[in-house]
Amino acid sequence: MLQLNPQLPVVVKTKDGKNWVKAYAFMAIDYSQEHELHFVVALNSTGEIWVVPNDEIRFANNWSLKRRMKNR
């Protein structure tokens, strides 16, 4: 486990897989032999804590770094 300090603003795929919600990742879990990261995130809208696999999380928009979200 690795605590992320500062927390990373991210967007997370919802459980139904249709929408993306804003969140902050504050911890990473590395399952080294499986080669997959999981992130512990706090959802902005509800305050829920989720453990999210790497393929269901993206960095949030940041126009200054030219990281723009395409339509999802």
Side-chain angles (χ1 to χ4, degrees):
M1 290 185 116
L2 175 68
Q3 181 181 358
L4 304 174
N5 189 10
Q7 298 176 1
L8 301 175
V10 294
V11 289
V12 177
K13 193 183 293 187
T14 58
K15 293 176 185 176
D16 63 11
K18 296 180 182 178
N19 298 310
W20 293 82
V21 294
K22 294 180 181 180
Y24 281 96
F26 61 91
M27 191 165 288
I29 304 170
D30 182 7
Y31 294 104
S32 60
Q33 295 303 316
E34 298 295 326
H35 304 289
E36 185 170 327
L37 290 174
H38 284 73
F39 290 90
V40 181
V41 300
L43 301 183
N44 292 359
S45 57
T46 62
E48 294 177 77
I49 305 293
W50 288 2
V51 177
V52 182
N54 195 38
D55 62 337
E56 296 182 11
I57 192 168
R58 302 288 182 268
F59 280 114
N61 291 349
N62 187 330
W63 282 78
S64 299
L65 297 176
K66 295 185 168 87
R67 187 171 57 238
R68 299 176 180 104
M69 291 294 187
K70 296 183 172 135
N71 292 336
R72 297 196 192 273

